[in-house]
Amino acid sequence: MMLFAMSLISGASAEEKPVFTVQIADQFERSHTAKTLFEKGRPVIFGGGDRRKTRDEIQPWLKPLREALKQRVKLVGYVDLRELPFFIPNGSVRKGLKTKYPQLSILCDFKGQIASKLGFTRKTAIQLRVFDGNGTVMGGVRGSYSAERLAK
């Protein structure tokens, strides 16, 4: 587990920095910007996607990542909701996320404003992207959790 996590942080080449020119609210309606997300220079792992089952598929990744990354790493959830049907209220989505993830901030991107900045592709249930404390992309992985995938 540790090898995979460390290779995500230290072994990948740096890519472009994400540029957040908008504020994105989480499920608690707290506003986030690049400054709040990359505070204190800590690495940040974004996990999420744009499918209905994203909410269930991120859960198995959380505990192993926390255990593998002993250093202080900020975990942030992300959900791309631009394809959410118009008849589903945004409030009901937030309420469901609050209930399921009371201690994890999940950015609710109803317009898909930062998906490409995070390197997330559309129509993918689960993606993880690792950034250093300055916002530089360090690596990532797509797909459901498995011990074998984490060990790679």
Side-chain angles (χ1 to χ4, degrees):
M1 277 194 231
M2 183 62 112
L3 291 175
F4 168 77
M6 295 312 291
S7 70
L8 281 178
I9 290 177
S10 62
S13 62
E15 297 174 19
E16 70 180 56
K17 291 184 181 184
V19 178
F20 300 99
T21 57
V22 295
Q23 293 184 352
I24 299 291
D26 64 14
Q27 77 270 35
F28 303 106
E29 298 191 45
R30 294 180 299 216
S31 186
H32 296 274
T33 63
K35 186 175 181 179
T36 62
L37 292 171
F38 297 101
E39 65 184 349
K40 301 178 186 174
R42 287 193 304 175
V44 179
I45 297 176
F46 288 91
D50 68 352
R51 301 288 91 190
R52 184 179 187 100
K53 63 183 180 176
T54 295
R55 184 172 73 165
D56 298 322
E57 291 209 19
I58 194 172
Q59 188 65 38
W61 279 103
L62 297 178
K63 185 177 178 184
L65 280 172
R66 285 187 178 122
E67 289 174 357
L69 299 169
K70 298 295 183 195
Q71 62 180 314
R72 293 194 44 86
V73 173
K74 184 174 188 175
L75 294 174
V76 178
Y78 172 78
V79 61
D80 181 349
L81 296 163
R82 68 183 122 179
E83 292 185 19
L84 185 71
F86 71 92
F87 54 83
I88 298 177
N90 294 357
S92 67
V93 173
R94 289 185 199 278
K95 183 178 178 182
L97 292 171
K98 281 185 216 178
T99 303
K100 185 135 181 147
Y101 300 102
Q103 297 186 4
L104 177 67
S105 182
I106 300 183
L107 304 180
C108 298
D109 192 354
F110 291 98
K111 296 180 181 178
Q113 296 171 304
I114 64 171
S116 64
K117 302 295 183 194
L118 292 174
F120 281 50
T121 57
R122 294 181 79 176
K123 303 194 185 303
T124 304
I126 188 69
Q127 302 174 67
L128 298 168
R129 298 289 285 170
V130 179
F131 295 80
D132 71 11
N134 296 316
T136 302
V137 178
M138 300 303 293
V141 65
R142 289 182 176 86
S144 300
Y145 171 81
S146 70
E148 296 81 29
R149 180 172 282 229
L150 187 63
K152 289 182 181 178

